[in-house]
Amino acid sequence: MSFDSRALRRQFPLFTRQPALHYLDNAATAQLPQVVLDALIAHETGRRANVARGAYPLAEEATEAYALARERVRRFLNAASVAEVVFTSGTTASINFFAHGFGARLGAGDEILVSEAEHHSNFVPWQQLAERSGARLRLLPLAADGRIDAARIEQFVSARLKLVAITHCSNVTGALTDLAAVVRAAHAVGARVMVDGAQAAQHGAPDVQALGVDAYAFSGHKCFGPNAIGVLWVRAELLETLPPVFAGGGMVGHVSLAKTTYAEPPARFEAGTPPIAQAVGLGAALEWMASLCWPEIRAHEERLGRCLLDALAAMPDVRILGPREMRERLPIVAFAVDGVHPHDLTQVLGDYGVCLRGGHHCAQPLHAAFGLEASARASLALYNDDADIDALLAGLDRARTMLR
Amino acid sequence: MSAAELYQAALKSLAQEASGHGRLDAPGGRALADNPLCGDRVEMEVSLAEGRIAALAHRVQGCLLCRASASAIGRRAPGATPEEVERIAGALQAMLEGSPPPGWDSSWDELAAFAPAQAYRSRHGCVLLPFRALLEALRAARAGVDDGHMSGREQ
């Protein structure tokens, strides 16, 4: 039986309430399935208490639920241990966290390598780290088709290189990074690899052990989970050596007037009351994702992505940013229309129920590399279908007429 | 409110006219203003003479609303005092936020074209960006700080 995106769509209350909506801004945030909403409500109405604090049954249940959420993240990532999973507020927080923890050991003479394709959240923290530590920030350039030119990484590898911070998938071009080449080159000189998985995680579970990376960050809200929850996964042997970034309750071993010792990971990195219900919701979202047939979903997303790319490529006034082949990308498609500003375009499309993002998508260096200030972006998820693509293409025609 | 009402002919022709587009040879003040949400950017140059705007020029990388707003400035701001510009910018912002002062568009009637933008909060910044740049350039001109470098605030 072929993949039924309509059946999947019915699990999302937003689409039941707004059946005419063509939501194509999934790279910004994905919608919530009912099962996640149910998990959130069940937790907040039946198990709401602080975690790792109280001995009464309600607190025990909350602590169990929080621990189960961490185990679900571990399974999603195929991580070796739950101790490697740190909950944060999102990918941005995860990367900043790692930049401060790992960055504490960097200084003048060290090098950090990022790419021109990074989201600001995986660029600015490293730019700031370079400024405060004296380390040198280097940039892996783009290939002609807009992909990160991982083949050139050898030119940037030396004993000075301490970290490569790179996206798994561009939030603009949808291009996938050749992480195997990056990991191979970085590890050959003892450098670490931290991956921004904000976009990739929505399109199938990343196997951090198979990828061979040292740290991986992603957000709950892009994986059909709640806002304000994210994950920083760090390989245990590295995480154990990192200093705490935030200090406070819950992250200590013992506190005296003279000295504080710290808890073991992951508690060492989760000062204060964590986002408990959000973690529970994320756990539910990841379990829901795990229940789906991913080969079918990937085939569905690839087919839709190819339809969109082919249709846009046939328009002489449209420029697609990034590679044309779906084997090199995920269904995140940014494009520019001659004489039509993306902000105006997406405003008009919105009138027809087509939700696209217009702007620089927090990737100004990448847009500068393309000679643009902004683009329009359609980002597809598993619940999108042909009607969404048709509505977008029809809306493009209307927008041209209205805006020129 | 619909996009068709927003992108009416008056707004599009104002943007296409691009009144004031260009550069000044010897500006008294310059400013660069960015819209952090979408990357729109306005560079504004002004010269003052006897307390009034003697000349201005702008260069805009932005949407239709931003370009139309800059064009309205290009049409109307020469000859105005900085205080008048400040008053009009304030009235325009108040209109977008739903509280237009009486007769807010009586001096610069082009600004009526932006009334449909009231319904779109995320677009208010597009309309106001050229005014932010102009006010900053005027401050720089009055302070006499132009030294050939951008004096505006990047946000």
Side-chain angles (χ1 to χ4, degrees), chain A residues 9 28 49 68 76-77 93 112 115 120 122 125 142 191 196 204 209 213 247-248 268 283 324 331 358 381 388-389 402:
Chain A
R9 206 176 172 95
L68 177 60
F76 179 70
L77 295 172
I112 307 157
S115 84
H120 293 167
N122 197 32
L142 304 179
D196 172 358
Q209 296 194 71
V213 300
R268 186 193 304 169
R324 279 291 319 278
D388 296 322
I389 306 295
M402 192 181 293

Coordinates of all heavy atoms in Angstrom, one line a residue, chain A residues 9 28 49 68 76-77 93 112 115 120 122 125 142 191 196 204 209 213 247-248 268 283 324 331 358 381 388-389 402:
Chain A
R9 N -2.1 13.4 7.9 CA -2.5 14.8 8.1 C -3.6 14.8 9.1 O -3.7 15.8 9.8 CB -2.9 15.3 6.7 CG -2.8 16.8 6.5 CD -3.2 17.1 5.1 NE -3.4 18.5 4.8 CZ -2.4 19.2 4.3 NH1 -1.2 18.7 4.1 NH2 -2.6 20.5 4.1
A28 N 10.9 26.1 9.6 CA 10.8 27.0 10.7 C 10.2 26.3 11.9 O 10.8 26.4 13.0 CB 9.9 28.2 10.3
A49 N 5.0 18.0 38.6 CA 5.8 18.2 39.8 C 7.2 18.4 39.3 O 7.6 18.2 38.2 CB 5.7 17.0 40.7
L68 N 12.1 9.0 31.1 CA 11.7 8.2 29.9 C 11.9 9.1 28.6 O 12.3 8.6 27.6 CB 10.2 7.9 30.1 CG 9.6 7.2 28.8 CD1 10.3 5.9 28.5 CD2 8.1 6.9 29.1
F76 N 16.2 7.7 19.7 CA 16.1 8.4 18.4 C 17.4 8.7 17.8 O 17.6 8.5 16.6 CB 15.4 9.8 18.7 CG 15.2 10.7 17.5 CD1 14.3 10.4 16.5 CD2 15.9 11.9 17.4 CE1 14.1 11.2 15.4 CE2 15.7 12.7 16.3 CZ 14.8 12.4 15.3
L77 N 18.4 9.0 18.6 CA 19.7 9.3 18.1 C 20.6 8.1 18.0 O 21.7 8.2 17.5 CB 20.4 10.3 19.0 CG 19.8 11.7 19.1 CD1 20.5 12.5 20.2 CD2 19.9 12.4 17.8
A93 N 20.3 27.1 21.7 CA 20.8 27.0 23.1 C 21.9 25.9 23.1 O 22.9 26.0 23.7 CB 19.7 26.7 24.1
I112 N 38.8 27.0 14.4 CA 37.5 26.5 14.4 C 37.0 26.6 12.9 O 37.2 27.7 12.3 CB 36.5 27.3 15.2 CG1 37.0 27.5 16.7 CG2 35.1 26.8 15.2 CD1 36.5 28.8 17.4
S115 N 31.1 26.5 8.0 CA 30.9 26.7 6.5 C 30.1 28.0 6.2 O 29.6 28.6 7.1 CB 30.1 25.5 6.0 OG 28.7 25.7 6.1
H120 N 22.6 31.3 11.3 CA 23.3 32.2 12.2 C 23.6 31.6 13.6 O 24.6 31.9 14.3 CB 22.5 33.5 12.5 CG 22.4 34.4 11.2 ND1 21.5 35.4 11.1 CD2 23.1 34.3 10.0 CE1 21.6 36.0 10.0 NE2 22.6 35.4 9.3
N122 N 24.6 28.7 14.1 CA 25.8 27.9 14.1 C 27.0 28.7 13.4 O 27.9 28.1 12.9 CB 25.6 26.6 13.3 CG 26.7 25.6 13.6 OD1 27.3 25.5 14.7 ND2 27.1 24.8 12.6
P125 N 27.7 32.1 17.3 CA 28.4 31.6 18.6 C 29.9 31.3 18.4 O 30.7 31.6 19.3 CB 27.7 30.3 18.9 CG 26.3 30.5 18.3 CD 26.6 31.3 17.0
L142 N 31.5 27.2 -0.4 CA 30.4 26.5 -1.1 C 31.0 26.0 -2.5 O 31.8 26.7 -3.1 CB 29.2 27.4 -1.3 CG 28.6 28.0 -0.1 CD1 27.4 28.9 -0.6 CD2 28.1 27.0 0.8
A191 N 40.6 16.7 15.7 CA 39.6 17.8 15.9 C 38.2 17.1 16.1 O 38.0 16.0 15.7 CB 39.5 18.7 14.7
D196 N 25.0 20.7 13.5 CA 23.7 21.3 13.7 C 22.7 20.5 12.9 O 22.6 20.5 11.7 CB 23.8 22.8 13.1 CG 22.4 23.5 13.0 OD1 21.4 22.8 13.4 OD2 22.4 24.6 12.6
G204 N 13.9 12.2 9.6 CA 14.4 10.9 9.9 C 15.5 10.9 11.0 O 16.3 11.8 11.0
Q209 N 26.0 7.5 16.2 CA 27.1 6.5 16.2 C 27.6 6.2 14.8 O 28.8 6.2 14.5 CB 26.8 5.3 17.0 CG 26.5 5.5 18.5 CD 26.4 4.3 19.3 OE1 27.5 3.6 19.5 NE2 25.2 3.9 19.7
V213 N 30.1 11.5 14.6 CA 30.3 12.9 15.0 C 30.5 12.9 16.5 O 30.3 11.9 17.2 CB 29.1 13.8 14.6 CG1 29.0 13.8 13.1 CG2 27.8 13.4 15.3
A247 N 25.3 27.5 36.2 CA 25.4 27.0 37.5 C 24.1 27.3 38.3 O 23.4 28.2 38.0 CB 26.6 27.7 38.2
G248 N 23.8 26.4 39.2 CA 22.6 26.6 40.0 C 22.2 25.2 40.6 O 23.0 24.3 40.8
R268 N 25.0 17.7 35.3 CA 25.9 18.8 35.4 C 25.6 19.9 34.5 O 25.9 21.1 34.7 CB 27.3 18.3 35.1 CG 28.4 19.3 35.3 CD 29.8 18.9 34.7 NE 30.2 17.6 35.2 CZ 31.2 16.9 34.6 NH1 31.8 17.4 33.6 NH2 31.5 15.7 35.1
G283 N 9.6 13.6 23.8 CA 9.7 12.1 23.9 C 8.5 11.5 23.1 O 8.7 10.5 22.4
R324 N 20.0 20.7 -7.5 CA 18.8 20.3 -8.2 C 18.4 18.9 -7.9 O 17.2 18.5 -8.0 CB 18.9 20.5 -9.7 CG 18.8 21.9 -10.2 CD 17.3 22.4 -10.1 NE 16.4 21.3 -10.4 CZ 16.0 21.0 -11.7 NH1 16.5 21.7 -12.7 NH2 15.1 20.1 -11.9
P331 N 13.8 18.1 1.3 CA 12.8 19.0 0.6 C 12.6 20.4 1.2 O 11.5 20.8 1.6 CB 11.5 18.1 0.7 CG 11.7 17.4 2.0 CD 13.1 17.1 2.1
G358 N 9.7 34.1 3.8 CA 10.5 35.0 2.9 C 11.5 35.8 3.8 O 11.1 36.2 4.9
A381 N 7.2 18.8 4.7 CA 7.3 17.7 5.8 C 6.4 16.5 5.4 O 5.7 16.6 4.3 CB 6.8 18.3 7.1
D388 N -0.6 20.8 -1.9 CA 0.3 21.9 -1.4 C 1.2 22.5 -2.4 O 1.3 23.7 -2.5 CB 1.1 21.4 -0.2 CG 0.3 20.9 1.0 OD1 -0.8 21.6 1.3 OD2 0.6 19.9 1.6
I389 N 1.8 21.6 -3.2 CA 2.6 22.0 -4.3 C 1.8 22.8 -5.4 O 2.2 23.9 -5.8 CB 3.4 20.8 -5.0 CG1 4.1 20.0 -3.9 CG2 4.3 21.3 -6.1 CD1 5.2 20.7 -3.2
M402 N 0.1 40.3 -9.4 CA -0.2 41.3 -8.4 C 0.9 42.2 -8.1 O 0.7 43.4 -7.8 CB -0.7 40.6 -7.1 CG -1.3 41.6 -6.1 SD -1.8 40.7 -4.6 CE -3.1 39.6 -5.2

